Amino acid sequence: MWEPEAWGSSGGWPAPRGARAGPSLSSVLNELPSAATLRYRGPGVLPWGASEEEEENGDRNIQAIAEAAQKELEEPLPSRELPWPLQARRAHRQSHAKDQGAQRSGSRGEQWALWLRRSKEKMKAGLHTLQPWAWTLKRIGGQFGAGTESYFSLLRFLLLLNLLASILKACMTLLPTWLEGTPPGPPSPNASSPCGFYDPNPQSLVAFPTHLFNLLSGEGFLEWSPLFYGFYPPRPHLAVTYLCSVFVIGLLDLLLILHRSVSGLKQTLLAESGALTSFSHRVFTAWDFGLCGDVHARLRQRSILYELQVELEEAVVQRQAAVRTLGQQARVWSVRILLNLLVIALLGAAFYGVYWATGATVDLQEMSLVQEMPLLKLGVDYLPSIFISGVNFLLPPVFKLIAPLEGYTRSRQIVFILLRTVFLRLASLLVLLFSLWNQITCQGKAEAEECKTCGYNYKELPCWETRLGQEMYKLLLFDLLTGLAVTLLIQFPRKLLCGLCPGALGRVVGTQEFQVPDEVLGLIYAQTVVWVGSFFCPLLPLFNTAKFLLLFYLKKFTLFSTCSPASRTFRASAVNFFFPLVLLLGLAISAVPVLYSLFLIPPSKLCGPFRGQSSIWAHIPESIYTLPQTVQDFLFFLGTQAFAVPLLLISSILMAYTLALANSYGRLISELKRQIETEARNKVFLAQRAVALSSARGAL
């Protein structure tokens, strides 16, 4: 039976009553093999549970410990003694064995293989050091917590996606356009066509304010430019590469997001399983003994502090939930149901407002007063974007006030806020696209007078693809402008007010915290807009790359200059998987309008590389018929049941095998956990017996 008095005055390991005459328990435990890892803590570090006398004698051994450490550096240690994970030690042992074999053989081929392997390792290490903003993210995580760091990590990941998409668009769209000759100009306004005429260029001199308004709205000189779909000429090779670029970018983004979500899922499962959430894990294994320098050590201390704060806060909430009575649980669930009904009502009102604003824009643009005043016309053009941004600005704070009333943990609150906000943002975008679809297809009535001739509303939208690209361009640009305005006109003045108003009032008004859910949803919303608009506005990924690059440095400056560490943190592992999951949702939602446009809506007859086709996808089968017969047979075989059925069977077998393997691994892990617990009890028992026997021998 252990009691508090059993702890020694030196803060060492406890000893049982009546056993203090013999060796202490700390001396016995220091003889265990696990105590050998202490030498990796660095020279001068005393063993756990050292007494004051041992501390005085420790200074004499510093020189000896330093000499031993230097010897270990000069002579490579065996793999089993390295302070590395098991997988790293196994890789080190295999690499060391290959190096020794190559050196003994002396053959030129083995020497070349050794050189290539070492060059590959050095290149991998060099690429890891070239990872952008690695030190910045580490500093942010140490000063503001892992939750804030996860936002900047996601921003860096999205910047990589947009950079790759920009390179692919340049190689598959811009390059073929100019390699086949200079693109022709816009169609002549005098050209006769059953689908009317399309003249994007103004016929008279344009004042500078009008140029500025055209830059903001995507009209005028920008409408017939490489920025939008209508500029690209109807060339066979260009049409194929233009369409393939959309699928290549979508597939690449899908694979990268899945890779990121799988790594985040591992962290989430470990955190939620309870195996790594104990406080002893944070206290005894969270420190990195390889850190060098006071700055790195302080950042790691702060990071561990935030992790412990998260664990303590969630433990309090879980303890309160465990002791609730039946009446308290009924009251909590009643409150949750009422709050969710309120959220549904707010979302419904927001969606109706977006639908109304999109329909009212067309009616207002036809008014003579709006057409005569460029500034008013710009405001009408931006009416859907303004309404969507206003809804996205007003409702998330309401969701943030509702979340704490539901009685969830902080990490669960973050997830619910993200779910509601992402549904608001992405559904608002879908409502906007649905309104535009009604305008393009005459509300789905193919027999309507405006759509009967060409299959789309050619009178109002002679080049409907460019119109969709302009809407996505305005959404992205307005999102950037509102972000800059909030930073410069709200956040910085609040910080100045905090400095000018001393006392509690200044602290209350000027104290700001970095709102991770809102910022993350802003990134996902912007990326979804890019995925929707990249087909209709090919240079939109390049524009978003510049926007994210500017946003990174702006948010970093805002974080360190105006924000304070969060008073309530949350577990980063809970959102490291949820962020890519929401990205996948945004990618799936963006694929719906793009695929619908490719397969079902006829392309514009007066602009774009697919003019004259019955559908945008119809150009692909026509291009396949120009290939050799063997290639045609293979491609058409991929779409038959003879290929799909065996593929489905093989996929089912692999899935069943993977599930069975996962279950066996789960049982093995459970058995290993039980063995670890048994070994821990055995060690404590043996240590107690050793101390008792030593005490009895000393008494005799």
Side-chain angles (χ1 to χ4, degrees), residues 282-302:
R282 304 293 179 190
V283 173
F284 294 109
T285 65
W287 186 256
D288 185 2
F289 292 104
L291 293 177
C292 298
D294 295 338
V295 177
H296 295 80
R298 284 196 298 269
L299 289 177
R300 187 57 185 164
Q301 288 173 354
R302 292 172 182 170

Side-chain angles (χ1 to χ4, degrees), residues 43 61-74:
N61 301 327
I62 290 178
Q63 185 65 29
I65 295 174
E67 292 176 358
Q70 183 65 27
K71 185 178 180 181
E72 287 183 356
L73 291 176
E74 293 174 356

Side-chain angles (χ1 to χ4, degrees), residues 315-356:
V316 170
V317 176
Q318 291 172 359
R319 187 177 303 169
Q320 292 175 353
V323 298
R324 285 179 189 151
T325 62
L326 184 61
Q328 291 174 341
Q329 290 181 355
R331 185 167 61 251
V332 168
W333 279 104
S334 301
V335 170
R336 290 175 181 175
I337 292 173
L338 292 176
L339 292 176
N340 280 282
L341 291 176
L342 175 62
V343 169
I344 293 173
L346 292 174
L347 291 174
F351 298 154
Y352 177 78
V354 173
Y355 183 81
W356 171 84

Side-chain angles (χ1 to χ4, degrees), residues 1-9 12-18 20 25 688:
M1 182 72 180
W2 300 105
E3 297 186 5
E5 304 89 46
W7 289 85
S9 59
W13 292 87
R17 288 178 178 266
R20 299 184 186 179
L25 184 59
Q688 292 174 355

